[in-house]
Amino acid sequence: MRHTLLILSHLLRYPSEEVQQAAPELVMALELDGVLESRQIEEVKPLVQSLIDDELLDLQEGYTSLFDRGRALSLHLFEHVHGDTRNRGPAMIELATIYEQSGFAMDARELPDFLPMMLEF
């Protein structure tokens, strides 16, 4: 299960050269981990194939257009749960504390509610 969550985490992050180079092995790794059903893996394949086929700058532009230009598809989960209310800050602190108590090293560039980081946790 850990491998599947880590792979999904990397697929949801800003496209990088490293993930693009690893893309050909990602579907096989998902199949070997055995967590996702065949149907679910088939749904991931087009994303992996685009990582293989497309230019990195095009992938990055598409990512920015999809996830960074509005709240509706934000990968920061508390954006959807708390919005811009005062509850968001304490929720972030509580989640960061959970990470810390578990020994998980947070990526300092991201907020605790960033979905790929939560999947990695």
Side-chain angles (χ1 to χ4, degrees):
M1 170 109 124
R2 176 111 175 105
H3 292 107
T4 294
L5 294 176
L6 189 58
I7 290 168
L8 294 175
S9 169
H10 286 295
L11 289 174
L12 284 172
R13 290 181 183 271
Y14 188 74
S16 67
E17 190 174 325
E18 294 81 20
V19 172
Q20 194 174 35
Q21 290 172 353
E25 289 85 33
L26 294 180
V27 171
M28 185 173 56
L30 288 172
E31 291 169 346
L32 289 174
D33 206 25
V35 174
L36 299 180
E37 298 174 5
S38 297
R39 171 188 59 78
Q40 294 168 314
I41 292 173
E42 287 301 316
E43 292 173 354
V44 174
K45 280 184 179 180
L47 173 60
V48 174
Q49 193 61 48
S50 71
L51 283 170
I52 294 168
D53 295 339
D54 297 347
E55 294 292 325
L56 183 58
L57 286 176
D58 293 335
L59 293 167
Q60 292 170 338
E61 181 182 353
Y63 181 95
T64 301
S65 294
L66 186 62
F67 295 119
D68 292 346
R69 296 219 171 116
R71 291 177 158 169
L73 297 176
S74 175
L75 293 175
H76 291 91
L77 297 182
F78 291 167
E79 178 73 34
H80 304 285
V81 175
H82 298 293
D84 284 336
T85 68
R86 284 191 237 166
N87 298 333
R88 191 171 181 193
M92 294 278 193
I93 292 168
E94 183 177 347
L95 184 56
T97 302
I98 291 170
Y99 289 159
E100 185 180 319
Q101 289 173 347
S102 299
F104 180 71
M106 274 186 24
D107 183 340
R109 297 171 291 165
E110 291 296 343
L111 295 172
D113 68 331
F114 186 54
L115 178 59
M117 188 164 43
M118 292 178 88
L119 288 170
E120 197 170 321
F121 171 70

